[in-house]
Amino acid sequence: MLSVLRVHLPSDIPIVGCELSPYVLLRRPDKTVTTDDVPESAPLDGHFLRYKWYRIQSDRKVAVCSVHPSEQATLQCLGCVKAKIPVAKSYHCSPKCFSDAWQHHRVLHDRAASAVNENGNEEEEIFGRFNSTGSGVISASLTGSASSTSLTNGSTPLYPTAVTQRSGGETWFEVGRSKTYTPTTDDIGHVLKFECVVIDAETTLPVGHPNTLLTSRVIPAPSPSPRRLISVGGADMMGQLDSDGRLSSSGTFTVLSYNILSDSYASSELYSYCPSWALSWPYRRQNLLREIVGYRADIVCLQEVQCDHFDEFFAPELDKHGYQALYKRKTNEVYSGNIHTIDGCATFFRRDRFSHVKKYEVEFNKAAQSLTEVAVQTTQKKVALNRLVKDNVALIVVLEAKFTNQGADNPGKRQLLCVANTHVNVQQELKDVKIWQVHTLLKGLEKIAASADIPMLVCGDFNSVPGSAPHSLLAMGKVDPLHPDLLVDPLAILRPHSKLTHQLPLVSAYSAFLRGIDLGLEQQRRRMDPVTNEPLFTNCTRDFIGTLDYIFYTADSLTVESLLELLDEDSLRKDTALPSPEWSSDHIALLAEFRCVPRTRH
């Protein structure tokens, strides 16, 4: 007979919005063991499995800490309550927690205070009594009655909530009837119970005792403070996103570049400082999706997107938000794991803003094979391929704008745009491979530029810090022959050094923060390196902090209007690195707003 051997939850902490999918180990009638489901629609030997989820709701509602969401809150910030800041952000587990978080937490107060002052209200009453000692908090003692609303979860239809009264002031509410369950805000602070039982298909009665498990308390999904879009032109200090996520001008468009950290790389060994629940893919994918959709960019360039995650999650989810998807998986000459989990570059664009014209796929492995055929001695070909073949790729798409290109010299002309999305080899000792990959990509883009009068964007994770040879090649159009990176060239593929050039007038978008004239940009300038004209960091782990990600554009055909504000280390909370519960990648997203301009002729 069918029997349940074990039920287990892979995730140790349930989070609002993140699907819970229990592991159910079954023994079939033939004594084989499986984890396959046996639904009512396909019974096995006259039996099937029935699932139920319950919320165990105490008479006393439990608030959770906004900083340490696995901890119960004991304090509540009075200023947040009075300023109508989202109540979840007001809770803290201890005075020390509140004091330590104050530098970050006060940003919420500052923004609320600005809004209060604009309305002509007194600021002092609400915000005047806060300081770093943790004063201004009150004990949180909230009581809440159990919800009795009708609920649906998983794939089950709407049904009335079943209630089973328990002793000790606890009530069990049935909240789901499918194998999976996605916690809701009503579940915050409560324990969930999963129940699995074998059912006789003929009598529909349970056979044997149900197998159950209890979760820890459900926590809200931590949310970082929103990042603002900041104008660099001097007209407006702060550019606000409209209801469609863009500035009001119809002649502009926004581009996002983001390495989202592939799940296959997100190991607890590498990121031991990140709580396991926050490192799990069910949590990270929802958090990443919320962040990406929240930016409402017209074009989205993602790196480290696993093949299966693109097909099963990102493409269908972003399709719901109006995006068309294009993807280029890395090649797998080197990769030896499951081909479905190999990552690649994904480019999305809003259908209402652009249409797809052409797609080019750059496989650096193929370029390496071509190079070794003509430039490497026969005896060295195997050594050369072993060094150059690294599976990296680039995805180049040509789009046509559907919006009005204001200010163009020929309003009737098609407005095309070329967007390159790449992820360059990560190994720091292979400096020659990094330079060669970037040079190969740029030469390909030059061919496209020669065939069409077209603005260009080059986005991605280049695994190269500002001032390195790949960065110099991108930003300056050449590499100094005396650059120390050029000393690493065992295959002589970078010689003569005079060939390391390109003619594309590329400029780094974020350098506009340093070029801007508005005093309101001062805070962002402090987050920039004045020597390299790049952000101080786009990648922040315990072992490394620096800039690896860039958005380059052709300055003769595009101009930067606004940029997504940069983070500082304080924004990531002290003693914390990425990924974290708030930010689900070890990189930060870059976003720039551009306007097409008439090309300058000489």
Side-chain angles (χ1 to χ4, degrees), residues 224 227 255-262 278 281 283-297 299-306 314 318 327 343-348 419-423 458-462 510 537-540 548-551 564 567 572 578-592:
R227 294 171 65 188
V255 178
L256 175 75
S257 184
Y258 196 6
N259 180 327
I260 63 169
L261 179 58
S262 167
W281 181 242
Y283 172 75
R284 290 204 307 119
R285 71 178 184 180
Q286 294 296 340
N287 209 31
L288 287 165
L289 182 66
R290 273 194 298 269
E291 182 184 1
I292 292 165
V293 169
Y295 293 133
R296 297 182 179 270
I299 301 168
V300 176
C301 296
L302 303 182
Q303 302 88 42
E304 287 197 24
V305 181
Q306 280 187 199
F314 285 109
L318 286 172
Y327 184 70
D343 64 288
C345 298
T347 299
F348 305 83
V419 183
N421 179 9
T422 192
H423 188 189
V458 187
C459 307
D461 175 1
F462 292 86
Y510 270 78
F537 71 90
T538 64
N539 179 247
C540 178
L548 301 174
D549 309 84
Y550 308 92
I551 298 176
L564 189 66
L567 298 177
L572 304 177
L578 299 178
S580 68
E582 290 82 11
W583 305 98
S584 286
S585 174
D586 55 346
H587 293 250
I588 64 169
L590 300 179
L591 183 144

Coordinates of all heavy atoms in Angstrom, one line a residue, residues 224 227 255-262 278 281 283-297 299-306 314 318 327 343-348 419-423 458-462 510 537-540 548-551 564 567 572 578-592:
P224 N 14.5 46.6 0.9 CA 15.5 47.7 1.1 C 14.8 49.0 0.8 O 13.7 49.1 0.2 CB 16.5 47.4 0.0 CG 15.8 46.6 -1.1 CD 14.8 45.8 -0.3
R227 N 15.6 52.9 -4.2 CA 16.7 53.7 -4.8 C 16.0 54.7 -5.8 O 15.2 54.3 -6.7 CB 17.7 52.8 -5.5 CG 18.5 51.9 -4.6 CD 19.3 50.9 -5.3 NE 20.3 51.5 -6.2 CZ 21.1 50.9 -7.0 NH1 20.9 49.6 -7.2 NH2 22.0 51.5 -7.7
V255 N 17.6 51.9 -19.1 CA 18.3 50.7 -19.3 C 18.9 50.2 -18.0 O 19.5 50.9 -17.3 CB 19.5 50.8 -20.3 CG1 20.2 49.5 -20.5 CG2 19.0 51.3 -21.7
L256 N 18.6 48.9 -17.6 CA 19.0 48.3 -16.4 C 20.1 47.3 -16.7 O 19.9 46.5 -17.6 CB 17.8 47.7 -15.7 CG 18.1 46.9 -14.4 CD1 18.5 47.8 -13.2 CD2 17.0 46.0 -14.0
S257 N 21.2 47.2 -15.9 CA 22.1 46.1 -16.1 C 22.3 45.5 -14.7 O 22.6 46.3 -13.7 CB 23.5 46.6 -16.6 OG 24.4 45.5 -16.8
Y258 N 22.3 44.2 -14.5 CA 22.2 43.6 -13.2 C 22.7 42.1 -13.3 O 22.1 41.3 -14.0 CB 20.8 43.6 -12.7 CG 20.6 43.4 -11.2 CD1 21.7 43.3 -10.3 CD2 19.3 43.3 -10.7 CE1 21.5 43.1 -9.0 CE2 19.1 43.1 -9.3 CZ 20.2 43.0 -8.5 OH 20.0 42.8 -7.1
N259 N 23.8 41.8 -12.6 CA 24.2 40.4 -12.4 C 23.4 39.9 -11.2 O 23.7 40.4 -10.0 CB 25.7 40.4 -12.1 CG 26.2 38.9 -11.9 OD1 25.5 38.1 -11.4 ND2 27.4 38.7 -12.3
I260 N 22.5 39.0 -11.4 CA 21.6 38.6 -10.3 C 22.1 37.4 -9.5 O 21.4 37.0 -8.6 CB 20.2 38.2 -10.9 CG1 20.4 37.0 -11.9 CG2 19.6 39.4 -11.7 CD1 19.0 36.4 -12.3
L261 N 23.3 36.9 -9.7 CA 23.9 35.8 -8.9 C 23.2 34.5 -9.2 O 22.1 34.2 -8.6 CB 24.0 36.1 -7.4 CG 24.6 35.0 -6.6 CD1 26.0 34.7 -7.0 CD2 24.6 35.4 -5.1
S262 N 23.7 33.7 -10.1 CA 23.1 32.4 -10.4 C 23.0 31.5 -9.1 O 23.9 31.5 -8.3 CB 24.0 31.7 -11.4 OG 23.7 30.3 -11.5
A278 N 17.7 33.4 3.2 CA 17.8 34.5 2.3 C 18.6 34.2 1.1 O 18.6 34.9 0.1 CB 18.4 35.7 3.0
W281 N 17.0 29.9 -3.3 CA 16.5 30.4 -4.6 C 15.0 30.8 -4.5 O 14.6 31.8 -5.1 CB 16.7 29.4 -5.7 CG 16.2 29.9 -7.1 CD1 15.2 29.4 -7.8 CD2 16.6 31.1 -7.7 NE1 15.0 30.1 -9.0 CE2 15.9 31.2 -8.9 CE3 17.6 32.1 -7.4 CZ2 16.1 32.2 -9.8 CZ3 17.8 33.1 -8.3 CH2 17.0 33.2 -9.5
Y283 N 13.4 32.2 -2.2 CA 13.4 33.5 -1.7 C 14.0 34.5 -2.6 O 13.4 35.6 -2.9 CB 14.1 33.6 -0.3 CG 14.2 35.0 0.2 CD1 13.1 35.7 0.7 CD2 15.4 35.7 0.1 CE1 13.2 37.0 1.1 CE2 15.5 37.0 0.5 CZ 14.4 37.7 1.0 OH 14.4 39.0 1.4
R284 N 15.2 34.2 -3.1 CA 15.9 35.2 -3.9 C 15.2 35.5 -5.2 O 15.2 36.7 -5.7 CB 17.3 34.7 -4.2 CG 18.2 34.7 -3.0 CD 19.7 34.8 -3.4 NE 20.1 33.8 -4.4 CZ 20.6 34.0 -5.6 NH1 20.7 35.3 -6.0 NH2 20.9 33.0 -6.4
R285 N 14.5 34.5 -5.8 CA 13.9 34.8 -7.1 C 12.8 35.8 -7.0 O 12.6 36.7 -7.8 CB 13.4 33.5 -7.8 CG 12.2 32.8 -7.1 CD 11.8 31.6 -7.9 NE 10.6 31.0 -7.3 CZ 10.0 29.9 -7.7 NH1 10.5 29.3 -8.8 NH2 8.9 29.5 -7.2
Q286 N 12.0 35.7 -5.9 CA 10.9 36.6 -5.7 C 11.4 38.0 -5.3 O 10.9 39.0 -5.8 CB 10.0 36.1 -4.5 CG 9.2 34.8 -4.9 CD 8.2 35.0 -6.0 OE1 7.8 36.1 -6.3 NE2 7.9 33.9 -6.6
N287 N 12.5 38.0 -4.5 CA 13.0 39.3 -4.2 C 13.7 40.0 -5.4 O 13.5 41.2 -5.6 CB 14.1 39.1 -3.1 CG 14.2 40.3 -2.1 OD1 13.3 41.0 -1.9 ND2 15.4 40.5 -1.6
L288 N 14.4 39.3 -6.2 CA 14.9 39.8 -7.4 C 13.9 40.3 -8.4 O 14.0 41.4 -9.0 CB 15.8 38.8 -8.1 CG 17.2 38.4 -7.4 CD1 17.7 37.2 -8.0 CD2 18.1 39.6 -7.6
L289 N 12.8 39.5 -8.5 CA 11.7 39.9 -9.4 C 11.1 41.2 -8.9 O 10.8 42.1 -9.8 CB 10.7 38.8 -9.5 CG 9.5 39.1 -10.5 CD1 10.0 39.1 -11.9 CD2 8.4 38.0 -10.3
R290 N 10.8 41.3 -7.6 CA 10.2 42.5 -7.1 C 11.1 43.7 -7.4 O 10.7 44.8 -7.8 CB 10.0 42.4 -5.6 CG 8.8 41.8 -5.2 CD 8.5 42.0 -3.7 NE 9.5 41.4 -2.8 CZ 9.5 40.2 -2.4 NH1 8.4 39.4 -2.6 NH2 10.4 39.7 -1.6
E291 N 12.4 43.5 -7.2 CA 13.4 44.6 -7.5 C 13.4 45.0 -8.9 O 13.3 46.2 -9.3 CB 14.8 44.3 -7.0 CG 15.8 45.4 -7.2 CD 17.2 45.0 -6.8 OE1 17.4 43.8 -6.4 OE2 18.1 45.8 -6.9
I292 N 13.6 44.0 -9.8 CA 13.7 44.3 -11.2 C 12.4 45.0 -11.8 O 12.5 46.0 -12.5 CB 14.0 43.0 -12.0 CG1 15.4 42.5 -11.6 CG2 13.9 43.2 -13.5 CD1 15.6 41.0 -12.0
V293 N 11.3 44.4 -11.4 CA 10.0 45.0 -11.9 C 9.8 46.4 -11.4 O 9.3 47.3 -12.0 CB 8.8 44.1 -11.5 CG1 7.5 44.7 -11.8 CG2 8.9 42.7 -12.3
G294 N 10.3 46.6 -10.1 CA 10.1 47.9 -9.5 C 10.9 49.0 -10.2 O 10.5 50.2 -10.1
Y295 N 12.0 48.7 -10.9 CA 12.7 49.7 -11.6 C 12.0 50.1 -12.9 O 12.2 51.2 -13.4 CB 14.1 49.2 -12.0 CG 15.0 49.0 -10.8 CD1 15.7 47.8 -10.7 CD2 15.1 49.9 -9.8 CE1 16.6 47.6 -9.6 CE2 16.0 49.7 -8.7 CZ 16.7 48.5 -8.6 OH 17.5 48.3 -7.5
R296 N 11.1 49.3 -13.4 CA 10.3 49.6 -14.6 C 11.2 50.1 -15.8 O 10.8 51.0 -16.5 CB 9.2 50.6 -14.3 CG 8.2 50.1 -13.3 CD 7.1 51.1 -13.0 NE 6.1 50.6 -12.1 CZ 5.0 49.9 -12.4 NH1 4.8 49.7 -13.7 NH2 4.2 49.6 -11.5
A297 N 12.3 49.5 -15.9 CA 13.2 49.9 -17.0 C 12.6 49.4 -18.4 O 11.9 48.5 -18.5 CB 14.6 49.2 -16.8
I299 N 14.6 48.6 -21.0 CA 15.5 47.5 -21.4 C 16.1 47.0 -20.2 O 16.7 47.7 -19.3 CB 16.5 48.0 -22.4 CG1 15.8 48.6 -23.6 CG2 17.4 46.9 -22.8 CD1 16.8 49.4 -24.6
V300 N 16.2 45.7 -20.0 CA 16.7 45.0 -18.9 C 17.8 44.0 -19.3 O 17.5 43.1 -20.1 CB 15.7 44.3 -18.0 CG1 16.3 43.5 -16.9 CG2 14.6 45.2 -17.5
C301 N 19.1 44.2 -18.9 CA 20.1 43.3 -19.2 C 20.6 42.6 -17.9 O 21.1 43.2 -17.0 CB 21.3 44.0 -19.8 SG 21.0 44.9 -21.4
L302 N 20.3 41.3 -17.9 CA 20.6 40.5 -16.7 C 21.8 39.5 -17.1 O 21.8 39.0 -18.2 CB 19.4 39.7 -16.2 CG 18.2 40.4 -15.9 CD1 17.1 39.5 -15.4 CD2 18.5 41.5 -14.8
Q303 N 22.7 39.3 -16.1 CA 23.7 38.3 -16.2 C 23.6 37.2 -15.2 O 22.9 37.5 -14.2 CB 25.1 39.0 -16.1 CG 25.4 40.1 -17.1 CD 24.9 41.4 -16.7 OE1 25.1 41.8 -15.5 NE2 24.3 42.2 -17.6
E304 N 24.2 36.1 -15.4 CA 24.1 34.9 -14.5 C 22.7 34.5 -14.3 O 22.2 34.1 -13.2 CB 24.7 35.2 -13.1 CG 26.3 35.3 -13.2 CD 26.9 35.2 -11.8 OE1 26.3 34.6 -10.9 OE2 28.1 35.6 -11.7
V305 N 22.0 34.4 -15.4 CA 20.6 33.8 -15.4 C 20.7 32.4 -15.9 O 21.0 32.1 -17.0 CB 19.7 34.6 -16.4 CG1 18.3 34.1 -16.4 CG2 19.7 36.1 -16.1
Q306 N 20.3 31.5 -14.9 CA 20.4 30.1 -15.3 C 19.4 29.7 -16.4 O 18.3 30.3 -16.4 CB 20.1 29.2 -14.0 CG 21.2 29.0 -13.1 CD 21.0 28.0 -12.0 OE1 21.7 28.1 -11.0 NE2 20.0 27.2 -12.1
F314 N 11.9 33.7 -15.1 CA 12.0 35.1 -15.6 C 11.3 35.5 -16.8 O 10.6 36.5 -16.9 CB 13.5 35.5 -15.7 CG 14.2 35.6 -14.4 CD1 15.1 34.7 -13.9 CD2 13.9 36.7 -13.6 CE1 15.7 34.8 -12.7 CE2 14.6 36.9 -12.3 CZ 15.5 35.9 -11.9
L318 N 8.3 38.1 -16.4 CA 8.5 39.4 -17.0 C 7.5 39.6 -18.2 O 7.2 40.8 -18.5 CB 9.9 39.7 -17.4 CG 10.8 39.9 -16.2 CD1 12.3 39.9 -16.6 CD2 10.5 41.2 -15.5
Y327 N 17.6 35.5 -25.0 CA 18.5 34.8 -24.1 C 19.7 34.1 -24.9 O 19.5 33.7 -26.0 CB 17.8 33.7 -23.3 CG 18.6 33.0 -22.3 CD1 19.0 33.6 -21.1 CD2 19.0 31.6 -22.4 CE1 19.8 32.9 -20.1 CE2 19.7 31.0 -21.5 CZ 20.1 31.6 -20.3 OH 20.8 30.9 -19.4
D343 N 24.4 29.1 -16.8 CA 23.9 30.5 -16.8 C 24.2 31.1 -18.1 O 25.0 30.6 -18.9 CB 24.3 31.3 -15.6 CG 25.8 31.6 -15.6 OD1 26.6 30.6 -15.4 OD2 26.2 32.7 -15.9
G344 N 23.6 32.3 -18.3 CA 23.9 33.1 -19.5 C 23.3 34.5 -19.3 O 23.1 35.0 -18.2
C345 N 23.2 35.2 -20.5 CA 22.8 36.6 -20.5 C 21.4 36.7 -21.0 O 21.1 36.1 -22.1 CB 23.7 37.4 -21.4 SG 25.4 37.5 -20.8
A346 N 20.5 37.4 -20.3 CA 19.1 37.6 -20.7 C 18.9 39.1 -20.9 O 19.2 39.9 -20.1 CB 18.2 37.0 -19.7
T347 N 18.3 39.4 -22.1 CA 17.9 40.8 -22.4 C 16.4 40.9 -22.6 O 15.8 40.1 -23.3 CB 18.6 41.3 -23.6 OG1 20.0 41.3 -23.4 CG2 18.2 42.8 -23.9
F348 N 15.7 41.8 -21.8 CA 14.3 42.0 -21.9 C 14.0 43.4 -22.4 O 14.8 44.3 -22.1 CB 13.6 41.8 -20.6 CG 13.9 40.4 -19.9 CD1 15.1 40.2 -19.2 CD2 13.0 39.4 -20.1 CE1 15.4 39.0 -18.6 CE2 13.3 38.1 -19.5 CZ 14.5 38.0 -18.8
V419 N 22.0 47.1 -28.4 CA 22.3 46.8 -26.9 C 23.1 45.5 -26.8 O 22.6 44.5 -27.2 CB 21.0 46.7 -26.1 CG1 21.3 46.5 -24.6 CG2 20.1 47.9 -26.3
A420 N 24.3 45.6 -26.3 CA 25.1 44.5 -26.0 C 25.1 44.1 -24.5 O 25.2 45.0 -23.7 CB 26.6 44.7 -26.4
N421 N 25.0 42.9 -24.2 CA 24.9 42.4 -22.8 C 25.9 41.2 -22.7 O 25.8 40.2 -23.4 CB 23.4 41.9 -22.6 CG 23.2 41.3 -21.2 OD1 24.1 41.4 -20.3 ND2 22.1 40.7 -21.0
T422 N 26.8 41.4 -21.8 CA 27.9 40.3 -21.7 C 28.3 40.1 -20.2 O 28.0 40.9 -19.3 CB 29.1 40.8 -22.5 OG1 30.0 39.6 -22.6 CG2 29.9 41.9 -21.9
H423 N 29.0 39.0 -20.1 CA 29.6 38.6 -18.8 C 30.9 38.0 -19.1 O 31.1 36.9 -19.6 CB 28.7 37.5 -18.1 CG 29.1 37.2 -16.7 ND1 28.6 36.2 -15.9 CD2 30.0 37.8 -15.9 CE1 29.2 36.2 -14.7 NE2 30.1 37.2 -14.7
V458 N 26.6 49.2 -24.2 CA 27.4 48.0 -23.9 C 27.3 47.8 -22.4 O 27.8 48.6 -21.6 CB 28.9 48.2 -24.3 CG1 29.6 46.8 -24.1 CG2 29.0 48.6 -25.7
C459 N 26.5 46.8 -22.0 CA 26.2 46.6 -20.6 C 26.7 45.2 -20.1 O 26.9 44.3 -20.9 CB 24.7 46.6 -20.4 SG 23.8 48.0 -21.0
G460 N 27.0 45.1 -18.8 CA 27.3 43.8 -18.3 C 28.3 43.8 -17.1 O 28.7 44.9 -16.6
D461 N 28.6 42.6 -16.7 CA 29.6 42.4 -15.7 C 30.9 42.0 -16.4 O 31.0 40.9 -17.0 CB 29.1 41.2 -14.8 CG 30.2 40.8 -13.7 OD1 31.3 41.4 -13.7 OD2 29.9 39.8 -13.0
F462 N 31.9 42.9 -16.4 CA 33.1 42.7 -17.1 C 34.2 42.1 -16.2 O 35.3 41.9 -16.7 CB 33.6 44.1 -17.7 CG 32.7 44.6 -18.8 CD1 31.5 45.3 -18.5 CD2 32.9 44.3 -20.1 CE1 30.7 45.7 -19.5 CE2 32.1 44.7 -21.1 CZ 31.0 45.4 -20.8
Y510 N 27.7 56.2 -15.6 CA 27.8 56.7 -14.2 C 28.8 57.8 -14.1 O 28.8 58.5 -13.0 CB 28.0 55.5 -13.3 CG 26.7 55.0 -12.8 CD1 25.9 54.1 -13.6 CD2 26.1 55.4 -11.6 CE1 24.7 53.6 -13.2 CE2 24.8 54.9 -11.2 CZ 24.1 54.0 -12.0 OH 22.9 53.6 -11.6
F537 N 31.8 51.0 -5.8 CA 31.6 49.6 -5.9 C 30.3 49.3 -6.6 O 29.4 50.1 -6.5 CB 31.7 48.9 -4.5 CG 30.5 49.3 -3.6 CD1 29.4 48.4 -3.6 CD2 30.5 50.4 -2.8 CE1 28.3 48.7 -2.8 CE2 29.4 50.6 -2.0 CZ 28.3 49.8 -2.0
T538 N 30.3 48.2 -7.2 CA 29.1 47.5 -7.7 C 29.0 46.1 -7.3 O 27.9 45.5 -7.5 CB 29.0 47.6 -9.3 OG1 30.0 46.7 -9.8 CG2 29.1 49.0 -9.8
N539 N 30.0 45.6 -6.6 CA 30.1 44.2 -6.1 C 30.6 44.3 -4.7 O 31.6 45.0 -4.5 CB 31.0 43.4 -7.0 CG 31.1 41.9 -6.5 OD1 32.2 41.5 -6.1 ND2 30.0 41.2 -6.5
C540 N 29.9 43.7 -3.7 CA 30.3 43.9 -2.3 C 30.1 42.6 -1.6 O 29.0 42.2 -1.3 CB 29.4 45.0 -1.7 SG 29.7 45.2 0.0
L548 N 32.7 46.2 -10.9 CA 32.9 45.3 -12.0 C 31.9 45.4 -13.1 O 32.1 44.9 -14.2 CB 32.8 43.8 -11.4 CG 33.8 43.4 -10.3 CD1 33.4 42.0 -9.8 CD2 35.2 43.5 -10.8
D549 N 30.8 46.2 -12.8 CA 29.7 46.3 -13.7 C 29.6 47.7 -14.3 O 29.9 48.7 -13.6 CB 28.4 46.0 -13.0 CG 28.4 44.7 -12.2 OD1 28.9 44.7 -11.1 OD2 28.0 43.7 -12.8
Y550 N 29.2 47.8 -15.6 CA 29.2 49.1 -16.3 C 28.1 49.2 -17.3 O 27.6 48.1 -17.8 CB 30.5 49.3 -17.0 CG 31.8 49.1 -16.2 CD1 32.4 47.9 -16.1 CD2 32.3 50.2 -15.4 CE1 33.5 47.7 -15.3 CE2 33.4 50.0 -14.6 CZ 34.0 48.8 -14.6 OH 35.2 48.6 -13.8
I551 N 27.6 50.4 -17.6 CA 26.8 50.7 -18.7 C 27.6 51.7 -19.5 O 27.7 52.9 -19.1 CB 25.4 51.2 -18.3 CG1 24.6 50.2 -17.5 CG2 24.6 51.6 -19.5 CD1 23.3 50.7 -16.9
L564 N 20.2 55.8 -11.6 CA 19.8 55.2 -10.4 C 20.8 55.5 -9.3 O 22.0 55.3 -9.5 CB 19.6 53.7 -10.5 CG 18.9 53.0 -9.4 CD1 17.5 53.4 -9.2 CD2 19.0 51.5 -9.6
L567 N 24.5 53.1 -4.0 CA 24.4 52.7 -2.6 C 25.8 53.1 -1.9 O 26.8 53.1 -2.6 CB 24.2 51.2 -2.4 CG 22.8 50.7 -2.9 CD1 22.8 49.2 -2.8 CD2 21.7 51.4 -2.2
L572 N 24.0 49.3 3.2 CA 24.0 47.8 3.2 C 24.1 47.3 4.6 O 24.2 46.1 4.9 CB 25.2 47.3 2.4 CG 25.3 47.7 1.0 CD1 26.5 47.2 0.3 CD2 24.0 47.3 0.2
L578 N 27.0 41.6 0.6 CA 26.0 41.0 -0.3 C 26.3 39.6 -0.8 O 27.5 39.3 -0.9 CB 25.9 41.9 -1.6 CG 25.5 43.4 -1.3 CD1 25.5 44.2 -2.6 CD2 24.1 43.5 -0.6
P579 N 25.3 38.8 -1.0 CA 23.9 39.1 -0.8 C 23.4 39.1 0.6 O 24.1 38.6 1.5 CB 23.2 37.9 -1.5 CG 24.2 36.8 -1.4 CD 25.5 37.4 -1.5
S580 N 22.3 39.7 0.8 CA 21.7 39.9 2.2 C 20.2 39.7 2.1 O 19.7 39.5 1.0 CB 22.0 41.3 2.7 OG 21.3 42.3 1.9
P581 N 19.5 39.7 3.2 CA 18.0 39.5 3.1 C 17.4 40.6 2.3 O 16.4 40.4 1.7 CB 17.6 39.6 4.6 CG 18.8 39.0 5.4 CD 20.0 39.5 4.6
E582 N 18.0 41.8 2.3 CA 17.4 42.9 1.6 C 17.7 42.9 0.1 O 16.9 43.1 -0.8 CB 17.8 44.3 2.1 CG 17.2 44.6 3.5 CD 18.0 43.9 4.6 OE1 19.1 43.4 4.4 OE2 17.5 43.9 5.8
W583 N 19.0 42.6 -0.2 CA 19.5 42.6 -1.6 C 20.0 41.2 -1.9 O 20.8 40.6 -1.3 CB 20.7 43.6 -1.7 CG 20.4 44.9 -1.3 CD1 20.7 45.5 -0.1 CD2 19.7 46.0 -2.0 NE1 20.2 46.8 0.0 CE2 19.6 47.1 -1.2 CE3 19.1 46.0 -3.3 CZ2 19.0 48.3 -1.6 CZ3 18.5 47.2 -3.7 CH2 18.5 48.3 -2.8
S584 N 19.4 40.6 -3.0 CA 19.5 39.2 -3.3 C 20.6 38.8 -4.3 O 20.6 37.7 -4.8 CB 18.2 38.6 -3.7 OG 17.3 38.5 -2.6
S585 N 21.5 39.7 -4.6 CA 22.7 39.4 -5.4 C 23.9 40.0 -4.7 O 23.8 40.9 -3.8 CB 22.5 40.0 -6.8 OG 23.7 39.8 -7.5
D586 N 25.1 39.5 -5.1 CA 26.3 40.1 -4.6 C 26.7 41.4 -5.4 O 27.7 42.1 -5.1 CB 27.4 39.1 -4.5 CG 27.7 38.5 -5.9 OD1 26.8 38.6 -6.8 OD2 28.8 37.8 -6.0
H587 N 25.9 41.7 -6.5 CA 26.1 42.9 -7.2 C 24.9 43.8 -7.0 O 23.9 43.4 -6.5 CB 26.2 42.6 -8.7 CG 27.3 41.8 -9.2 ND1 28.4 42.3 -9.9 CD2 27.7 40.5 -8.9 CE1 29.3 41.4 -10.2 NE2 28.9 40.2 -9.6
I588 N 25.1 45.1 -7.3 CA 24.0 46.0 -7.3 C 23.6 46.4 -8.7 O 24.4 46.3 -9.6 CB 24.3 47.3 -6.5 CG1 25.4 48.1 -7.2 CG2 24.7 47.0 -5.0 CD1 25.6 49.5 -6.6
A589 N 22.3 46.7 -8.9 CA 21.8 47.0 -10.2 C 22.2 48.4 -10.6 O 22.3 49.3 -9.7 CB 20.3 46.9 -10.2
L590 N 22.5 48.6 -11.9 CA 22.8 49.9 -12.4 C 21.7 50.2 -13.4 O 21.2 49.4 -14.1 CB 24.1 49.9 -13.2 CG 25.4 49.6 -12.4 CD1 26.6 49.6 -13.3 CD2 25.6 50.5 -11.2
L591 N 21.3 51.5 -13.4 CA 20.2 51.9 -14.3 C 20.5 53.3 -14.8 O 20.8 54.2 -14.0 CB 18.8 51.8 -13.6 CG 17.6 52.2 -14.5 CD1 16.4 51.3 -14.1 CD2 17.2 53.6 -14.4
A592 N 20.3 53.6 -16.1 CA 20.5 54.9 -16.6 C 19.4 55.2 -17.6 O 18.9 54.4 -18.3 CB 21.9 54.9 -17.4

